[in-house]
Protein backbone atom coordinates (compact mmCIF):
# COMPACT_ATOMS: atom_id res chain seq x y z
CA UNK A 1 0.00 0.00 0.00
CA UNK A 2 1.24 3.47 -0.84
CA UNK A 3 0.08 6.32 1.39
CA UNK A 4 0.03 9.74 -0.19
CA UNK A 5 -0.41 13.17 1.21
CA UNK A 6 -3.68 14.57 -0.06
CA UNK A 7 -7.35 14.80 0.60
CA UNK A 8 -10.50 13.26 -0.72
CA UNK A 9 -12.29 16.57 -0.57
CA UNK A 10 -14.50 15.29 2.25
CA UNK A 11 -13.53 16.94 5.50
CA UNK A 12 -9.84 16.73 4.48
CA UNK A 13 -9.64 12.96 5.10
CA UNK A 14 -6.34 11.45 3.88
CA UNK A 15 -6.42 9.18 0.84
CA UNK A 16 -4.10 6.54 -0.53
CA UNK A 17 -3.62 4.64 -3.75
CA UNK A 18 -4.30 0.92 -3.33
CA UNK A 19 -2.91 0.17 -6.81
CA UNK A 20 0.56 1.66 -6.24
CA UNK A 21 3.68 -0.45 -6.59
CA UNK A 22 4.97 -1.97 -3.37
CA UNK A 23 8.17 -0.76 -1.74
CA UNK A 24 10.69 -3.60 -1.33
CA UNK A 25 11.62 -4.21 2.28
CA UNK A 26 13.32 -7.24 3.74
CA UNK A 27 16.70 -8.76 4.47
CA UNK A 28 17.85 -8.54 0.83
CA UNK A 29 16.64 -4.97 0.22
CA UNK A 30 17.64 -3.03 3.33
CA UNK A 31 21.23 -2.52 4.53
CA UNK A 32 20.62 -3.71 8.09
CA UNK A 33 24.17 -5.09 8.37
CA UNK A 34 25.65 -1.60 8.93
CA UNK A 35 23.38 -1.18 11.96
CA UNK A 36 24.35 -4.62 13.27
CA UNK A 37 28.08 -3.89 12.93
CA UNK A 38 27.69 -0.46 14.57
CA UNK A 39 26.08 -2.21 17.57
CA UNK A 40 28.84 -4.84 17.72
CA UNK A 41 31.69 -2.33 17.41
CA UNK A 42 30.42 0.76 19.26
CA UNK A 43 27.02 0.03 20.79
CA UNK A 44 25.31 -2.91 22.50
CA UNK A 45 24.79 -6.34 20.94
CA UNK A 46 22.96 -9.17 22.71
CA UNK A 47 23.25 -12.60 21.13
CA UNK A 48 21.29 -14.80 23.49
CA UNK A 49 18.06 -12.96 24.38
CA UNK A 50 15.10 -15.35 24.39
CA UNK A 51 11.77 -14.78 22.71
CA UNK A 52 9.57 -12.62 24.92
CA UNK A 53 12.36 -10.28 26.07
CA UNK A 54 10.99 -6.96 27.29
CA UNK A 55 12.66 -3.67 26.45
CA UNK A 56 11.93 -0.39 28.23
CA UNK A 57 13.38 2.92 27.08
CA UNK A 58 13.91 5.63 29.68
CA UNK A 59 15.62 8.96 29.11
CA UNK A 60 19.14 7.91 28.04
CA UNK A 61 18.89 4.30 29.23
CA UNK A 62 17.62 0.94 28.05
CA UNK A 63 16.31 -1.73 30.42
CA UNK A 64 15.98 -5.38 29.39
CA UNK A 65 14.24 -8.24 31.13
CA UNK A 66 14.51 -11.70 29.59
CA UNK A 67 11.73 -13.28 31.67
CA UNK A 68 9.01 -11.78 33.91
CA UNK A 69 10.86 -13.01 37.02
CA UNK A 70 14.37 -12.35 35.69
CA UNK A 71 16.69 -9.51 36.67
CA UNK A 72 16.55 -6.14 34.96
CA UNK A 73 19.64 -5.41 32.87
CA UNK A 74 20.17 -1.63 32.54
CA UNK A 75 22.55 0.23 30.24
CA UNK A 76 23.24 3.94 29.67
CA UNK A 77 22.94 4.77 25.99
CA UNK A 78 24.84 8.03 26.43
CA UNK A 79 27.94 6.01 27.44
CA UNK A 80 28.05 4.35 24.00
CA UNK A 81 30.10 5.64 21.05
CA UNK A 82 27.09 4.79 18.86
CA UNK A 83 23.59 4.65 20.40
CA UNK A 84 22.77 1.41 18.57
CA UNK A 85 21.35 -1.71 20.23
CA UNK A 86 21.03 -5.05 18.44
CA UNK A 87 19.17 -8.07 19.81
CA UNK A 88 20.47 -10.95 17.70
CA UNK A 89 17.48 -13.21 18.21
CA UNK A 90 15.90 -15.79 15.88
CA UNK A 91 13.59 -14.68 13.09
CA UNK A 92 10.65 -16.34 14.87
CA UNK A 93 11.37 -14.65 18.24
CA UNK A 94 9.41 -11.73 19.69
CA UNK A 95 10.55 -8.69 21.66
CA UNK A 96 8.23 -6.30 23.48
CA UNK A 97 9.10 -2.62 23.72
CA UNK A 98 7.74 0.50 25.41
CA UNK A 99 8.79 3.63 27.27
CA UNK A 100 8.81 3.95 31.01
CA UNK A 101 5.40 5.16 32.34
CA UNK A 102 5.14 8.97 32.68
CA UNK A 103 4.92 8.82 36.48
CA UNK A 104 8.12 6.76 36.70
CA UNK A 105 10.64 8.72 34.63
CA UNK A 106 11.44 10.60 31.45
CA UNK A 107 10.80 9.64 27.86
CA UNK A 108 13.62 9.12 25.36
CA UNK A 109 16.17 11.95 25.38
CA UNK A 110 18.82 10.54 22.98
CA UNK A 111 18.60 9.22 19.43
CA UNK A 112 18.74 5.42 19.54
CA UNK A 113 18.39 2.64 16.98
CA UNK A 114 17.15 -0.79 18.07
CA UNK A 115 17.47 -3.72 15.69
CA UNK A 116 16.57 -7.41 15.82
CA UNK A 117 15.79 -10.36 13.58
CA UNK A 118 12.31 -11.26 14.83
CA UNK A 119 9.00 -9.58 15.56
CA UNK A 120 8.71 -6.31 17.48
CA UNK A 121 5.60 -5.63 19.56
CA UNK A 122 5.15 -2.06 20.74
CA UNK A 123 3.27 -2.57 23.99
CA UNK A 124 2.28 0.87 25.21
CA UNK A 125 3.56 4.35 24.64
CA UNK A 126 6.92 5.32 23.17
CA UNK A 127 7.50 8.70 24.83
CA UNK A 128 9.98 11.40 23.86
CA UNK A 129 11.03 14.44 25.84
CA UNK A 130 10.33 17.64 23.91
CA UNK A 131 13.36 19.52 22.53
CA UNK A 132 15.77 16.77 23.68
CA UNK A 133 16.64 15.32 20.29
CA UNK A 134 15.45 11.89 21.37
CA UNK A 135 14.24 9.61 18.60
CA UNK A 136 13.79 5.86 18.19
CA UNK A 137 14.58 3.93 15.03
CA UNK A 138 13.43 0.29 14.84
CA UNK A 139 14.72 -2.37 12.45
CA UNK A 140 13.46 -5.92 12.09
CA UNK A 141 15.27 -8.01 9.49
CA UNK A 142 12.84 -10.92 9.15
CA UNK A 143 9.97 -10.11 11.51
CA UNK A 144 7.00 -7.81 11.59
CA UNK A 145 6.25 -4.80 13.73
CA UNK A 146 3.00 -4.72 15.68
CA UNK A 147 1.48 -1.80 17.54
CA UNK A 148 -0.84 -3.21 20.16
CA UNK A 149 -3.62 -1.44 22.02
CA UNK A 150 -2.47 0.04 25.31
CA UNK A 151 -3.40 -2.52 27.98
CA UNK A 152 -6.27 -1.75 30.35
CA UNK A 153 -4.01 -2.59 33.29
CA UNK A 154 -0.27 -2.07 33.70
CA UNK A 155 1.41 -5.45 33.09
CA UNK A 156 4.89 -4.04 33.78
CA UNK A 157 5.27 -2.96 37.37
CA UNK A 158 8.12 -0.44 37.65
CA UNK A 159 11.02 -1.33 35.41
Amino acid sequence: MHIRSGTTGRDNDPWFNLGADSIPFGADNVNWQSTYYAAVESGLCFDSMPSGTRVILESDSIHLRETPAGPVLSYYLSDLSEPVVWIDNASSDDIYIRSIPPDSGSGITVPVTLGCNGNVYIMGDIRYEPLSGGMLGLISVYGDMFIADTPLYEPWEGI
Side-chain angles (χ1 to χ4, degrees), residues 100-120:
I100 197 150
D103 59 353
S104 300
S106 300
I108 301 169
T109 59
V110 296
V112 60
T113 301
L114 175 69
C116 69
N117 294 309
N119 298 312
V120 178

Side-chain angles (χ1 to χ4, degrees), residues 17-121:
N17 181 354
L18 292 175
D21 291 336
S22 63
I23 299 171
F25 287 104
D28 297 333
N29 298 314
V30 176
N31 183 9
W32 58 269
Q33 294 91 341
S34 62
T35 303
Y36 171 79
Y37 290 121
V40 169
E41 294 172 6
S42 305
L44 293 172
C45 186
F46 302 97
D47 61 1
S48 61
M49 292 286 171
S51 185
T53 295
R54 297 175 178 198
V55 177
I56 296 180
L57 297 165
E58 174 189 22
S59 187
D60 65 347
S61 299
I62 186 169
H63 309 286
L64 299 144
R65 182 175 262 172
E66 295 180 24
T67 63
V72 174
L73 307 172
S74 298
Y75 303 90
Y76 288 108
L77 298 170
S78 56
D79 287 347
L80 304 174
S81 298
E82 293 288 338
V84 180
V85 179
W86 192 271
I87 298 176
D88 202 22
N89 57 359
S91 60
S92 59
D93 286 348
D94 302 326
I95 63 169
Y96 300 94
I97 185 170
R98 67 165 299 165
S99 296
I100 197 150
D103 59 353
S104 300
S106 300
I108 301 169
T109 59
V110 296
V112 60
T113 301
L114 175 69
C116 69
N117 294 309
N119 298 312
V120 178
Y121 288 83

Side-chain angles (χ1 to χ4, degrees), residues 105-159:
S106 300
I108 301 169
T109 59
V110 296
V112 60
T113 301
L114 175 69
C116 69
N117 294 309
N119 298 312
V120 178
Y121 288 83
I122 299 174
M123 303 293 289
D125 297 333
I126 302 291
R127 294 180 45 247
Y128 303 92
E129 292 302 316
L131 307 176
S132 69
M135 182 179 290
L136 174 65
L138 289 173
I139 297 173
S140 174
V141 179
Y142 301 104
D144 293 319
M145 188 176 306
F146 300 90
I147 302 174
D149 288 336
T150 301
L152 296 176
Y153 65 95
E154 179 57 55
W156 292 357
E157 298 288 329
I159 294 177

